[in-house]
Amino acid sequence: MQANQTTADAIALDDLFEPAELVAMYPKVLTPNTLKWHLYNRHKNGLDAACIKGLRRKILISKSRFERWLATQTEAGRAAA
């Protein structure tokens, strides 16, 4: 964490999950390939705010931030339709 970040920006350790764990939590919404695509494009689609690189270069995803990101994606999709 950078020194200029506040504690409100901090992610609780129990809120971090590996991509496979999120897919197991939301099998009706996510497939492994869909999440992999979103993670690959996270810098373009805004998902990078929910991700951190863990030990051994593993990507960990904040469940609460992912849910917020997913809600904005859904609302944007509904507004465009």
Side-chain angles (χ1 to χ4, degrees):
M1 184 184 302
Q2 295 177 356
N4 62 354
Q5 286 182 323
T6 64
T7 56
D9 293 338
I11 300 173
L13 292 177
D14 60 351
D15 191 39
L16 294 173
F17 296 91
E18 292 182 3
E21 293 173 316
L22 277 182
V23 169
M25 285 182 204
Y26 302 108
K28 293 183 179 181
V29 177
L30 291 173
T31 65
N33 288 335
T34 301
L35 185 56
K36 184 177 179 179
W37 186 86
H38 285 302
L39 288 172
Y40 182 78
N41 293 292
R42 68 186 179 275
H43 300 294
K44 297 176 189 174
N45 63 22
L47 185 58
D48 58 340
C51 302
I52 63 165
K53 286 223 175 171
L55 299 174
R56 299 182 189 137
R57 296 185 51 173
K58 280 190 173 185
I59 292 181
L60 299 174
I61 305 169
S62 165
K63 181 182 171 198
S64 59
R65 290 184 183 189
F66 176 77
E67 289 171 344
R68 267 187 270 148
W69 174 83
L70 187 60
T72 62
Q73 299 304 304
T74 305
E75 290 168 8
R78 286 185 198 147

